[in-house]
Structures are given as structure tokens and as C-alpha cells.
Amino acid sequence: MITPSQEQTLPTAYQVGAFALIVHRGAYLITSPREPLLPGGSHDLPGFILNAATGANPVELQLRRTIREQVSLAVSDLKLVGSHAARGMHGAEGGMRLNLIFGTEYCAGILQPDLRTVMGATWVPSEDLLRPGGAPGWLQGAVRDFEAIAPLPAPEAPAPTPKLRFGRRR
């Protein structure tokens, strides 16, 4: 039987990453981390690599904490919308990594990337990500799947402006 202390010394056969696909007003938050965790060059999402047992904390709670630490935002319910496996990822030491993508909506906070871990962050419209060549395939698939289970609200029509009348009424 393997004890918890022995478990940490065994080589990791694969890693698991958890990332958040955050939407706000039809745009998705794309980050530029100091050390990219996802394949695709300039497209990354807030998230972490699970290197040890989380104990009593479910992955979703840890992901919420990571989002707060990396970009200072609070999000709504997390829904698993995609996953992909990659070999030879940065930090995976040549092994495999399973990346889980959770879709969610922005709730509160002011976007302030933590410059120790994230060089920048920007909201990118859905249509820019979904156009051919606009984003890596794993990201386009996650956006499509998220929008299939949680359709983006239609843009609100501007409220009618009351007609202003100047002068006196008779």
C-alpha cells in the first residue's frame, strides 16, 4: 500500500490542468501568462496545474481562488465545457497533461492581472475567436460548446429616449 508521503515521491504519469473560459457581454477573457500553460501561443486562460492533492477543496473552489489571484475577478457557476490532452507541455516534463476547460460568466471585480503570473489580459469578442485562424482549435471548441449550453444573451436594444419638448405647452 502506498502511503501519502510515498505518493508525492512517485513520478507523475500525467498532470491535470483546470482553466476558466470567462464570458462577459459576448467577449471572452484571454490572458498572456508569463509561462504559457495551454497550447496555442498567445491564447491562454486563467487557471492552474494540479500538482498535488487538493484535500478538501474541490477543483472548482481552487479554480475560483486562482481566477481571483490571477485577474481579480469573481465568476458564476463553473460548467465543464471541454477538455484536451497534450504532450510535452511546459512544466509537464515531457509527459502528458489533461486540460479541463470550465465555462463561466463574469460576476464582479475589476480586471487587474497579477503581473507576477500574467503579463496581460483582454476581452476578445466571440466572433474574433471563432473566425478561421482566430484561436487554437481547443479554444474554439470550448467556446462553441459553452455557447451551446449557455447561449449568449442577445444584445439589448437601447431604451427609447423620450422626446424632449422645449417651450411652453398651451
Side-chain angles (χ1 to χ4, degrees):
M1 181 169 181
I2 297 175
T3 65
S5 62
Q6 290 172 325
E7 184 177 299
Q8 293 177 352
T9 61
L10 295 175
T12 303
Y14 66 92
Q15 293 178 330
V16 176
F19 299 90
L21 181 64
I22 304 170
V23 66
H24 179 57
R25 295 183 180 172
Y28 292 90
L29 182 65
I30 303 298
T31 61
S32 300
R34 293 209 175 273
E35 294 182 19
L37 299 176
L38 291 166
S42 61
H43 294 87
D44 216 294
L45 302 172
F48 66 95
I49 303 302
L50 185 62
N51 288 322
T54 58
N57 294 329
V59 171
E60 291 87 352
L61 290 176
Q62 191 168 350
L63 184 54
R64 286 180 189 284
R65 186 177 328 114
T66 300
I67 294 166
R68 251 191 340 267
E69 291 169 359
Q70 289 181 356
V71 292
S72 301
L73 298 179
V75 296
S76 66
D77 294 337
L78 295 161
K79 299 172 182 140
L80 184 62
V81 296
S83 66
H84 69 280
R87 181 177 297 282
M89 298 288 303
H90 177 76
E93 299 155 6
M96 291 291 294
R97 180 179 300 155
L98 174 63
N99 294 312
L100 304 174
I101 311 296
F102 292 87
T104 186
E105 293 184 31
Y106 160 86
C107 283
I110 296 172
L111 180 59
Q112 294 178 323
D114 178 359
L115 298 178
R116 293 172 294 180
T117 58
V118 179
M119 294 186 300
T122 187
W123 296 100
V124 179
S126 174
E127 56 271 6
D128 289 353
L129 293 174
L130 293 175
R131 69 176 166 73
W138 62 264
L139 181 54
Q140 289 185 349
V143 168
R144 281 190 200 98
D145 289 346
F146 182 59
E147 291 180 0
I149 62 170
L152 297 179
E156 294 180 18
T161 56
K163 293 184 180 183
L164 299 177
R165 294 186 179 158
F166 296 97
R168 292 195 286 181
R169 259 191 173 167
R170 292 182 189 212

